[in-house]
Amino acid sequence: MNLVWKRPARRFHRLRNFQATVRDTLVLINEFKFTLIAFSTVVFATGWLYYRLTLISGDSTYSYPEAVFTILAMIFLQANTAFPDDWYRQIFFFVMPIVGLALITRGADFALLLFNRRLRKGEWQVAIASTYSDHVVLVGLGHLGFRVARELRNLGDEVIVIERDPQADLLEAAQAMDILVIQGEATKMETLQAANIEKASAIILCTSDDSANLQIGIKAHKLNDKAKVLVRVFNEEFAEEIQEHFGFSQAFSASALAAPAIAGAANESDVSSPISLAGRALSLARFVIKKNSTLIGMTVDQVENTFDGTIVLLERGKQVDLHPHNDLALVEGDHFAIFGEPKALNKISRANR
């Protein structure tokens, strides 16, 4: 067995960008549909009329496609044919540039936005978000939210952050970690939907406003009742009440806040705050062996040697072993607690996916 674990390529950037481009283009076409329809109608209708008038003038070699192309050339003041002798065709040479000018002005906006996505930054972020699934939506990019987002990325999760007014330094740092940030008011349904919350595995609310967190949490639960909803509140008693009455997965009081704990709750792995021993920061984490986990079949000894940690408890069914045997192989559904450095625990979390 190869004990060197490699992180799977969960993000296919080229495919994601292609999907986002297709979606954004369709949205853009829908936005300019009347302009595009009007332009197409003018070109093909006047092209047909010019073709019929050309036949009347006795030029039977002139085809309909050539007439359409001539109309396009007229619109752009690049007529590629001789100026006709008959007055009824001469009119086209003067009228079409004027008619086209009104349409081209709007069409130029379409072309500019189509080939320069930076001008549609907000819409482009939404297009990218539409390609995510099984991700974590985090509301609030303050200092706590940023730490939680960083912990989630370390655990291998894909994160979409919603922030009304992100600080420049935190926004830049989040984007450097490949974290998608959508600027908007999370209390609005359309903002939550822009983060593709319907396909999210968890929603974490980290704003400093208890009432806003509660309001957002209720709306998020309506949009996706299968996702975990983790809510930050500043009153410990209130945290217990809203967790009990609103069906949220977990409510964190201010006194119990810790970025690794919040990230672990969203990630289905409990991770304690690190303690310093012999100059090393060590944490205790609990994992549940998932279906198709690469940890299945590995022995306790192999896990400890591969990830540089110490398994201190193994629970299988009703049997709990505080000192599991080194040769015991892990199976799906096993619960185990392991002591190690945060980076080692992150690797185990990724391997357990």
Side-chain angles (χ1 to χ4, degrees):
M1 177 185 295
N2 184 6
L3 299 182
V4 179
W5 177 82
K6 295 183 179 179
R7 179 181 178 180
R10 300 182 62 225
R11 293 165 295 162
F12 303 96
H13 293 288
R14 292 182 180 177
L15 177 60
R16 170 162 290 167
N17 285 333
F18 173 75
Q19 292 173 333
T21 299
V22 171
R23 181 196 180 279
D24 190 54
T25 300
L26 292 176
V27 171
L28 194 60
I29 289 175
N30 183 65
E31 182 180 343
F32 285 84
K33 61 183 178 182
F34 294 113
T35 299
L36 296 174
I37 291 172
F39 185 81
S40 300
T41 301
V42 167
V43 170
F44 288 103
T46 56
W48 179 85
L49 180 58
Y50 191 83
Y51 166 67
R52 297 300 301 175
L53 293 175
T54 301
L55 293 179
I56 293 174
S57 67
D59 188 357
S60 59
T61 62
Y62 213 73
S63 67
Y64 174 61
E66 287 177 311
V68 171
F69 184 77
T70 300
I71 291 296
L72 279 172
M74 291 178 188
I75 289 175
F76 292 99
L77 299 175
Q78 296 289 331
N80 59 339
T81 185
F83 194 73
D85 296 327
D86 43 280
W87 64 269
Y88 43 81
R89 285 194 298 167
Q90 291 176 356
I91 294 176
F92 285 83
F93 281 74
F94 296 97
V95 174
M96 291 315 303
I98 298 174
V99 174
L101 183 62
L103 297 173
I104 291 173
T105 302
R106 181 68 173 161
D109 293 336
F110 171 78
L112 183 63
L113 295 174
L114 180 64
F115 295 105
N116 192 347
R117 305 286 178 180
R118 293 181 181 179
L119 297 177
R120 289 170 50 81
K121 185 175 181 180
E123 292 83 353
W124 178 247
Q125 299 292 69
V126 173
I128 291 289
S130 69
T131 66
Y132 280 64
S133 62
D134 196 30
H135 58 288
V136 177
V137 175
L138 189 150
V139 180
L141 192 62
H143 291 288
L144 173 66
F146 175 77
R147 293 197 303 271
V148 173
R150 182 176 57 194
E151 290 292 334
L152 287 166
R153 291 297 295 117
N154 289 338
L155 290 170
D157 281 296
E158 291 188 313
V159 185
I160 297 178
V161 173
I162 300 175
E163 173 56 55
R164 179 176 56 188
D165 187 22
Q167 297 180 29
D169 57 338
L170 295 180
L171 175 61
E172 184 177 345
Q175 292 174 338
M177 292 188 293
D178 199 24
I179 294 175
L180 185 63
V181 179
I182 294 178
Q183 188 169 352
E185 182 56 67
T187 55
K188 298 180 180 179
M189 283 286 196
E190 54 266 29
T191 305
L192 295 175
Q193 291 172 329
N196 203 14
I197 203 167
E198 293 90 344
K199 295 183 179 180
S201 61
I203 301 100
I204 304 176
L205 308 175
C206 282
T207 78
S208 57
D209 187 335
D210 282 4
S211 60
N213 285 340
L214 180 58
Q215 182 182 356
I216 297 168
I218 293 173
K219 291 182 177 181
H221 189 66
K222 287 181 179 179
L223 291 171
N224 186 349
D225 58 0
K226 296 181 180 180
K228 295 181 178 67
V229 180
L230 311 175
V231 186
R232 170 191 185 181
V233 292
F234 283 84
N235 185 294
E236 190 168 352
E237 294 182 359
F238 184 46
E240 296 176 357
E241 290 179 5
I242 65 173
Q243 184 173 335
E244 178 180 354
H245 292 96
F246 291 97
F248 297 156
S249 303
Q250 194 163 351
F252 293 93
S253 67
S255 60
L257 285 175
I262 299 174
N267 190 262
E268 296 185 343
S269 60
D270 296 330
V271 183
S272 69
S273 298
I275 60 174
S276 181
L277 291 176
R280 300 174 65 185
L282 301 173
S283 295
L284 182 66
R286 181 184 65 86
F287 296 97
V288 181
I289 302 296
K290 300 179 181 179
K291 183 180 180 180
N292 299 326
S293 167
T294 58
L295 299 176
I296 293 177
M298 294 181 67
T299 65
V300 170
D301 186 57
Q302 288 173 334
V303 172
E304 292 181 339
N305 291 332
T306 302
F307 299 102
D308 192 21
T310 302
I311 295 180
V312 296
L313 181 144
L314 179 66
E315 180 181 357
R316 180 175 296 173
K318 296 182 179 180
Q319 182 180 355
V320 179
D321 192 348
L322 290 174
H323 302 284
H325 196 275
N326 287 341
D327 294 333
L328 183 64
L330 300 179
V331 299
E332 180 185 347
D334 279 351
H335 294 239
F336 71 94
I338 186 166
F339 201 55
E341 292 183 297
K343 62 181 181 180
L345 302 180
N346 291 341
K347 291 181 180 180
I348 295 174
S349 177
R350 296 169 186 169
N352 193 37
R353 292 181 180 274

PDB file of all heavy atoms in Angstrom, residues 313-341:
ATOM      1  N   LEU A 313      -7.747   7.335  20.953  1.00  0.00           N
ATOM      2  CA  LEU A 313      -9.043   6.686  21.208  1.00  0.00           C
ATOM      3  C   LEU A 313      -9.620   6.199  19.893  1.00  0.00           C
ATOM      4  O   LEU A 313      -9.506   6.872  18.863  1.00  0.00           O
ATOM      5  CB  LEU A 313     -10.013   7.667  21.872  1.00  0.00           C
ATOM      6  CG  LEU A 313     -11.415   7.121  22.217  1.00  0.00           C
ATOM      7  CD1 LEU A 313     -11.919   7.719  23.523  1.00  0.00           C
ATOM      8  CD2 LEU A 313     -12.414   7.431  21.094  1.00  0.00           C
ATOM      9  N   LEU A 314     -10.231   5.018  19.917  1.00  0.00           N
ATOM     10  CA  LEU A 314     -10.916   4.472  18.753  1.00  0.00           C
ATOM     11  C   LEU A 314     -12.253   3.910  19.203  1.00  0.00           C
ATOM     12  O   LEU A 314     -12.318   3.095  20.123  1.00  0.00           O
ATOM     13  CB  LEU A 314     -10.081   3.374  18.090  1.00  0.00           C
ATOM     14  CG  LEU A 314     -10.714   2.714  16.855  1.00  0.00           C
ATOM     15  CD1 LEU A 314     -10.845   3.705  15.713  1.00  0.00           C
ATOM     16  CD2 LEU A 314      -9.881   1.517  16.393  1.00  0.00           C
ATOM     17  N   GLU A 315     -13.322   4.376  18.567  1.00  0.00           N
ATOM     18  CA  GLU A 315     -14.677   3.914  18.896  1.00  0.00           C
ATOM     19  C   GLU A 315     -15.268   3.210  17.688  1.00  0.00           C
ATOM     20  O   GLU A 315     -15.354   3.774  16.601  1.00  0.00           O
ATOM     21  CB  GLU A 315     -15.560   5.096  19.297  1.00  0.00           C
ATOM     22  CG  GLU A 315     -16.987   4.693  19.643  1.00  0.00           C
ATOM     23  CD  GLU A 315     -17.847   5.883  20.002  1.00  0.00           C
ATOM     24  OE1 GLU A 315     -17.313   7.024  20.039  1.00  0.00           O
ATOM     25  OE2 GLU A 315     -19.061   5.693  20.225  1.00  0.00           O
ATOM     26  N   ARG A 316     -15.664   1.963  17.889  1.00  0.00           N
ATOM     27  CA  ARG A 316     -16.269   1.165  16.821  1.00  0.00           C
ATOM     28  C   ARG A 316     -17.529   0.517  17.381  1.00  0.00           C
ATOM     29  O   ARG A 316     -17.473  -0.398  18.191  1.00  0.00           O
ATOM     30  CB  ARG A 316     -15.301   0.109  16.315  1.00  0.00           C
ATOM     31  CG  ARG A 316     -15.867  -0.773  15.198  1.00  0.00           C
ATOM     32  CD  ARG A 316     -14.813  -1.717  14.650  1.00  0.00           C
ATOM     33  NE  ARG A 316     -13.716  -0.996  14.000  1.00  0.00           N
ATOM     34  CZ  ARG A 316     -12.605  -1.584  13.555  1.00  0.00           C
ATOM     35  NH1 ARG A 316     -12.449  -2.906  13.685  1.00  0.00           N
ATOM     36  NH2 ARG A 316     -11.658  -0.863  12.970  1.00  0.00           N
ATOM     37  N   GLY A 317     -18.669   1.062  16.925  1.00  0.00           N
ATOM     38  CA  GLY A 317     -19.928   0.584  17.482  1.00  0.00           C
ATOM     39  C   GLY A 317     -20.022   0.966  18.956  1.00  0.00           C
ATOM     40  O   GLY A 317     -19.852   2.128  19.332  1.00  0.00           O
ATOM     41  N   LYS A 318     -20.228  -0.032  19.798  1.00  0.00           N
ATOM     42  CA  LYS A 318     -20.305   0.216  21.242  1.00  0.00           C
ATOM     43  C   LYS A 318     -18.969   0.007  21.942  1.00  0.00           C
ATOM     44  O   LYS A 318     -18.852   0.209  23.150  1.00  0.00           O
ATOM     45  CB  LYS A 318     -21.360  -0.706  21.869  1.00  0.00           C
ATOM     46  CG  LYS A 318     -22.773  -0.439  21.368  1.00  0.00           C
ATOM     47  CD  LYS A 318     -23.777  -1.354  22.059  1.00  0.00           C
ATOM     48  CE  LYS A 318     -25.193  -1.067  21.580  1.00  0.00           C
ATOM     49  NZ  LYS A 318     -26.200  -1.953  22.246  1.00  0.00           N
ATOM     50  N   GLN A 319     -17.969  -0.387  21.168  1.00  0.00           N
ATOM     51  CA  GLN A 319     -16.650  -0.661  21.750  1.00  0.00           C
ATOM     52  C   GLN A 319     -15.767   0.583  21.666  1.00  0.00           C
ATOM     53  O   GLN A 319     -15.588   1.182  20.606  1.00  0.00           O
ATOM     54  CB  GLN A 319     -15.977  -1.819  21.009  1.00  0.00           C
ATOM     55  CG  GLN A 319     -14.619  -2.207  21.580  1.00  0.00           C
ATOM     56  CD  GLN A 319     -13.986  -3.352  20.822  1.00  0.00           C
ATOM     57  OE1 GLN A 319     -14.606  -3.915  19.919  1.00  0.00           O
ATOM     58  NE2 GLN A 319     -12.766  -3.710  21.178  1.00  0.00           N
ATOM     59  N   VAL A 320     -15.221   0.972  22.814  1.00  0.00           N
ATOM     60  CA  VAL A 320     -14.346   2.128  22.901  1.00  0.00           C
ATOM     61  C   VAL A 320     -12.990   1.671  23.425  1.00  0.00           C
ATOM     62  O   VAL A 320     -12.908   1.045  24.483  1.00  0.00           O
ATOM     63  CB  VAL A 320     -14.928   3.218  23.828  1.00  0.00           C
ATOM     64  CG1 VAL A 320     -13.971   4.414  23.905  1.00  0.00           C
ATOM     65  CG2 VAL A 320     -16.291   3.666  23.323  1.00  0.00           C
ATOM     66  N   ASP A 321     -11.950   1.969  22.695  1.00  0.00           N
ATOM     67  CA  ASP A 321     -10.601   1.532  23.060  1.00  0.00           C
ATOM     68  C   ASP A 321      -9.705   2.755  23.197  1.00  0.00           C
ATOM     69  O   ASP A 321      -9.459   3.472  22.232  1.00  0.00           O
ATOM     70  CB  ASP A 321     -10.046   0.589  21.986  1.00  0.00           C
ATOM     71  CG  ASP A 321      -8.781  -0.122  22.446  1.00  0.00           C
ATOM     72  OD1 ASP A 321      -8.211   0.283  23.482  1.00  0.00           O
ATOM     73  OD2 ASP A 321      -8.371  -1.064  21.749  1.00  0.00           O
ATOM     74  N   LEU A 322      -9.225   3.002  24.417  1.00  0.00           N
ATOM     75  CA  LEU A 322      -8.335   4.138  24.655  1.00  0.00           C
ATOM     76  C   LEU A 322      -6.911   3.868  24.170  1.00  0.00           C
ATOM     77  O   LEU A 322      -6.128   4.804  24.012  1.00  0.00           O
ATOM     78  CB  LEU A 322      -8.312   4.490  26.146  1.00  0.00           C
ATOM     79  CG  LEU A 322      -9.595   5.110  26.700  1.00  0.00           C
ATOM     80  CD1 LEU A 322      -9.495   5.265  28.210  1.00  0.00           C
ATOM     81  CD2 LEU A 322      -9.862   6.453  26.041  1.00  0.00           C
ATOM     82  N   HIS A 323      -6.585   2.616  23.944  1.00  0.00           N
ATOM     83  CA  HIS A 323      -5.254   2.249  23.451  1.00  0.00           C
ATOM     84  C   HIS A 323      -5.415   1.243  22.318  1.00  0.00           C
ATOM     85  O   HIS A 323      -5.120   0.050  22.491  1.00  0.00           O
ATOM     86  CB  HIS A 323      -4.403   1.657  24.592  1.00  0.00           C
ATOM     87  CG  HIS A 323      -4.242   2.590  25.754  1.00  0.00           C
ATOM     88  ND1 HIS A 323      -3.395   3.662  25.729  1.00  0.00           N
ATOM     89  CD2 HIS A 323      -4.835   2.593  26.975  1.00  0.00           C
ATOM     90  CE1 HIS A 323      -3.451   4.293  26.885  1.00  0.00           C
ATOM     91  NE2 HIS A 323      -4.325   3.674  27.657  1.00  0.00           N
ATOM     92  N   PRO A 324      -5.891   1.671  21.146  1.00  0.00           N
ATOM     93  CA  PRO A 324      -6.119   0.732  20.042  1.00  0.00           C
ATOM     94  C   PRO A 324      -4.812   0.086  19.595  1.00  0.00           C
ATOM     95  O   PRO A 324      -3.748   0.708  19.594  1.00  0.00           O
ATOM     96  CB  PRO A 324      -6.708   1.615  18.937  1.00  0.00           C
ATOM     97  CG  PRO A 324      -6.246   3.001  19.263  1.00  0.00           C
ATOM     98  CD  PRO A 324      -6.195   3.066  20.750  1.00  0.00           C
ATOM     99  N   HIS A 325      -4.910  -1.198  19.231  1.00  0.00           N
ATOM    100  CA  HIS A 325      -3.738  -1.961  18.821  1.00  0.00           C
ATOM    101  C   HIS A 325      -3.182  -1.401  17.515  1.00  0.00           C
ATOM    102  O   HIS A 325      -3.923  -0.975  16.625  1.00  0.00           O
ATOM    103  CB  HIS A 325      -4.106  -3.440  18.643  1.00  0.00           C
ATOM    104  CG  HIS A 325      -2.918  -4.338  18.607  1.00  0.00           C
ATOM    105  ND1 HIS A 325      -2.206  -4.575  17.446  1.00  0.00           N
ATOM    106  CD2 HIS A 325      -2.301  -5.062  19.585  1.00  0.00           C
ATOM    107  CE1 HIS A 325      -1.203  -5.404  17.701  1.00  0.00           C
ATOM    108  NE2 HIS A 325      -1.239  -5.720  18.994  1.00  0.00           N
ATOM    109  N   ASN A 326      -1.885  -1.400  17.365  1.00  0.00           N
ATOM    110  CA  ASN A 326      -1.238  -0.844  16.174  1.00  0.00           C
ATOM    111  C   ASN A 326      -1.656  -1.530  14.881  1.00  0.00           C
ATOM    112  O   ASN A 326      -1.667  -0.914  13.815  1.00  0.00           O
ATOM    113  CB  ASN A 326       0.288  -0.927  16.318  1.00  0.00           C
ATOM    114  CG  ASN A 326       0.827   0.075  17.319  1.00  0.00           C
ATOM    115  OD1 ASN A 326       0.161   1.041  17.649  1.00  0.00           O
ATOM    116  ND2 ASN A 326       2.042  -0.161  17.791  1.00  0.00           N
ATOM    117  N   ASP A 327      -1.999  -2.818  14.937  1.00  0.00           N
ATOM    118  CA  ASP A 327      -2.339  -3.573  13.737  1.00  0.00           C
ATOM    119  C   ASP A 327      -3.830  -3.492  13.380  1.00  0.00           C
ATOM    120  O   ASP A 327      -4.254  -4.079  12.384  1.00  0.00           O
ATOM    121  CB  ASP A 327      -1.956  -5.048  13.915  1.00  0.00           C
ATOM    122  CG  ASP A 327      -0.445  -5.226  14.033  1.00  0.00           C
ATOM    123  OD1 ASP A 327       0.282  -4.368  13.476  1.00  0.00           O
ATOM    124  OD2 ASP A 327      -0.001  -6.195  14.678  1.00  0.00           O
ATOM    125  N   LEU A 328      -4.605  -2.752  14.177  1.00  0.00           N
ATOM    126  CA  LEU A 328      -6.044  -2.653  13.924  1.00  0.00           C
ATOM    127  C   LEU A 328      -6.294  -1.757  12.714  1.00  0.00           C
ATOM    128  O   LEU A 328      -5.832  -0.613  12.649  1.00  0.00           O
ATOM    129  CB  LEU A 328      -6.751  -2.068  15.153  1.00  0.00           C
ATOM    130  CG  LEU A 328      -8.278  -1.962  15.062  1.00  0.00           C
ATOM    131  CD1 LEU A 328      -8.904  -3.339  14.943  1.00  0.00           C
ATOM    132  CD2 LEU A 328      -8.831  -1.230  16.276  1.00  0.00           C
ATOM    133  N   ALA A 329      -7.012  -2.280  11.710  1.00  0.00           N
ATOM    134  CA  ALA A 329      -7.293  -1.524  10.484  1.00  0.00           C
ATOM    135  C   ALA A 329      -8.579  -0.727  10.635  1.00  0.00           C
ATOM    136  O   ALA A 329      -9.564  -1.202  11.212  1.00  0.00           O
ATOM    137  CB  ALA A 329      -7.400  -2.468   9.290  1.00  0.00           C
ATOM    138  N   LEU A 330      -8.575   0.475  10.108  1.00  0.00           N
ATOM    139  CA  LEU A 330      -9.744   1.352  10.196  1.00  0.00           C
ATOM    140  C   LEU A 330     -10.794   0.943   9.167  1.00  0.00           C
ATOM    141  O   LEU A 330     -10.467   0.521   8.056  1.00  0.00           O
ATOM    142  CB  LEU A 330      -9.337   2.804   9.953  1.00  0.00           C
ATOM    143  CG  LEU A 330      -8.312   3.392  10.928  1.00  0.00           C
ATOM    144  CD1 LEU A 330      -7.981   4.830  10.535  1.00  0.00           C
ATOM    145  CD2 LEU A 330      -8.834   3.350  12.358  1.00  0.00           C
ATOM    146  N   VAL A 331     -12.057   1.086   9.545  1.00  0.00           N
ATOM    147  CA  VAL A 331     -13.172   0.769   8.661  1.00  0.00           C
ATOM    148  C   VAL A 331     -14.146   1.948   8.651  1.00  0.00           C
ATOM    149  O   VAL A 331     -14.088   2.832   9.514  1.00  0.00           O
ATOM    150  CB  VAL A 331     -13.902  -0.526   9.098  1.00  0.00           C
ATOM    151  CG1 VAL A 331     -12.967  -1.717   9.059  1.00  0.00           C
ATOM    152  CG2 VAL A 331     -14.498  -0.358  10.491  1.00  0.00           C
ATOM    153  N   GLU A 332     -15.031   1.931   7.670  1.00  0.00           N
ATOM    154  CA  GLU A 332     -16.020   3.004   7.569  1.00  0.00           C
ATOM    155  C   GLU A 332     -16.870   3.073   8.837  1.00  0.00           C
ATOM    156  O   GLU A 332     -17.309   2.047   9.359  1.00  0.00           O
ATOM    157  CB  GLU A 332     -16.935   2.764   6.365  1.00  0.00           C
ATOM    158  CG  GLU A 332     -18.009   3.836   6.185  1.00  0.00           C
ATOM    159  CD  GLU A 332     -18.976   3.506   5.062  1.00  0.00           C
ATOM    160  OE1 GLU A 332     -18.675   2.593   4.276  1.00  0.00           O
ATOM    161  OE2 GLU A 332     -20.036   4.175   4.997  1.00  0.00           O
ATOM    162  N   GLY A 333     -17.091   4.269   9.341  1.00  0.00           N
ATOM    163  CA  GLY A 333     -17.899   4.465  10.536  1.00  0.00           C
ATOM    164  C   GLY A 333     -17.108   4.543  11.823  1.00  0.00           C
ATOM    165  O   GLY A 333     -17.667   4.895  12.871  1.00  0.00           O
ATOM    166  N   ASP A 334     -15.816   4.208  11.781  1.00  0.00           N
ATOM    167  CA  ASP A 334     -14.989   4.306  12.988  1.00  0.00           C
ATOM    168  C   ASP A 334     -14.866   5.767  13.429  1.00  0.00           C
ATOM    169  O   ASP A 334     -14.737   6.680  12.610  1.00  0.00           O
ATOM    170  CB  ASP A 334     -13.577   3.760  12.720  1.00  0.00           C
ATOM    171  CG  ASP A 334     -13.520   2.247  12.790  1.00  0.00           C
ATOM    172  OD1 ASP A 334     -14.521   1.641  13.209  1.00  0.00           O
ATOM    173  OD2 ASP A 334     -12.465   1.677  12.436  1.00  0.00           O
ATOM    174  N   HIS A 335     -14.899   5.980  14.743  1.00  0.00           N
ATOM    175  CA  HIS A 335     -14.603   7.283  15.328  1.00  0.00           C
ATOM    176  C   HIS A 335     -13.234   7.172  15.984  1.00  0.00           C
ATOM    177  O   HIS A 335     -12.989   6.217  16.734  1.00  0.00           O
ATOM    178  CB  HIS A 335     -15.634   7.670  16.400  1.00  0.00           C
ATOM    179  CG  HIS A 335     -17.008   7.902  15.857  1.00  0.00           C
ATOM    180  ND1 HIS A 335     -17.674   9.103  16.004  1.00  0.00           N
ATOM    181  CD2 HIS A 335     -17.858   7.093  15.168  1.00  0.00           C
ATOM    182  CE1 HIS A 335     -18.858   9.019  15.433  1.00  0.00           C
ATOM    183  NE2 HIS A 335     -18.997   7.800  14.923  1.00  0.00           N
ATOM    184  N   PHE A 336     -12.350   8.124  15.678  1.00  0.00           N
ATOM    185  CA  PHE A 336     -11.067   8.079  16.362  1.00  0.00           C
ATOM    186  C   PHE A 336     -10.597   9.479  16.699  1.00  0.00           C
ATOM    187  O   PHE A 336     -10.909  10.454  16.009  1.00  0.00           O
ATOM    188  CB  PHE A 336     -10.005   7.327  15.539  1.00  0.00           C
ATOM    189  CG  PHE A 336      -9.531   8.056  14.317  1.00  0.00           C
ATOM    190  CD1 PHE A 336      -8.389   8.861  14.352  1.00  0.00           C
ATOM    191  CD2 PHE A 336     -10.203   7.929  13.106  1.00  0.00           C
ATOM    192  CE1 PHE A 336      -7.947   9.519  13.214  1.00  0.00           C
ATOM    193  CE2 PHE A 336      -9.761   8.585  11.974  1.00  0.00           C
ATOM    194  CZ  PHE A 336      -8.629   9.389  12.022  1.00  0.00           C
ATOM    195  N   ALA A 337      -9.888   9.577  17.815  1.00  0.00           N
ATOM    196  CA  ALA A 337      -9.306  10.850  18.250  1.00  0.00           C
ATOM    197  C   ALA A 337      -7.798  10.754  18.078  1.00  0.00           C
ATOM    198  O   ALA A 337      -7.180   9.749  18.442  1.00  0.00           O
ATOM    199  CB  ALA A 337      -9.667  11.126  19.701  1.00  0.00           C
ATOM    200  N   ILE A 338      -7.217  11.824  17.517  1.00  0.00           N
ATOM    201  CA  ILE A 338      -5.787  11.807  17.246  1.00  0.00           C
ATOM    202  C   ILE A 338      -5.164  13.114  17.705  1.00  0.00           C
ATOM    203  O   ILE A 338      -5.753  14.185  17.576  1.00  0.00           O
ATOM    204  CB  ILE A 338      -5.512  11.554  15.743  1.00  0.00           C
ATOM    205  CG1 ILE A 338      -4.014  11.393  15.491  1.00  0.00           C
ATOM    206  CG2 ILE A 338      -6.133  12.617  14.878  1.00  0.00           C
ATOM    207  CD1 ILE A 338      -3.678  10.825  14.123  1.00  0.00           C
ATOM    208  N   PHE A 339      -3.977  13.014  18.237  1.00  0.00           N
ATOM    209  CA  PHE A 339      -3.238  14.151  18.772  1.00  0.00           C
ATOM    210  C   PHE A 339      -2.103  14.470  17.811  1.00  0.00           C
ATOM    211  O   PHE A 339      -1.319  13.579  17.451  1.00  0.00           O
ATOM    212  CB  PHE A 339      -2.686  13.784  20.153  1.00  0.00           C
ATOM    213  CG  PHE A 339      -2.337  14.966  21.011  1.00  0.00           C
ATOM    214  CD1 PHE A 339      -3.266  15.950  21.291  1.00  0.00           C
ATOM    215  CD2 PHE A 339      -1.068  15.085  21.548  1.00  0.00           C
ATOM    216  CE1 PHE A 339      -2.938  17.027  22.094  1.00  0.00           C
ATOM    217  CE2 PHE A 339      -0.729  16.158  22.353  1.00  0.00           C
ATOM    218  CZ  PHE A 339      -1.678  17.135  22.625  1.00  0.00           C
ATOM    219  N   GLY A 340      -2.028  15.723  17.351  1.00  0.00           N
ATOM    220  CA  GLY A 340      -0.970  16.065  16.412  1.00  0.00           C
ATOM    221  C   GLY A 340      -0.958  17.547  16.089  1.00  0.00           C
ATOM    222  O   GLY A 340      -1.780  18.317  16.595  1.00  0.00           O
ATOM    223  N   GLU A 341      -0.030  17.938  15.244  1.00  0.00           N
ATOM    224  CA  GLU A 341       0.060  19.327  14.835  1.00  0.00           C
ATOM    225  C   GLU A 341      -1.082  19.662  13.863  1.00  0.00           C
ATOM    226  O   GLU A 341      -1.560  18.779  13.144  1.00  0.00           O
ATOM    227  CB  GLU A 341       1.408  19.592  14.159  1.00  0.00           C
ATOM    228  CG  GLU A 341       2.592  19.510  15.101  1.00  0.00           C
ATOM    229  CD  GLU A 341       3.902  19.844  14.409  1.00  0.00           C
ATOM    230  OE1 GLU A 341       4.270  19.103  13.476  1.00  0.00           O
ATOM    231  OE2 GLU A 341       4.539  20.830  14.796  1.00  0.00           O
TER     232      GLU A 341
END
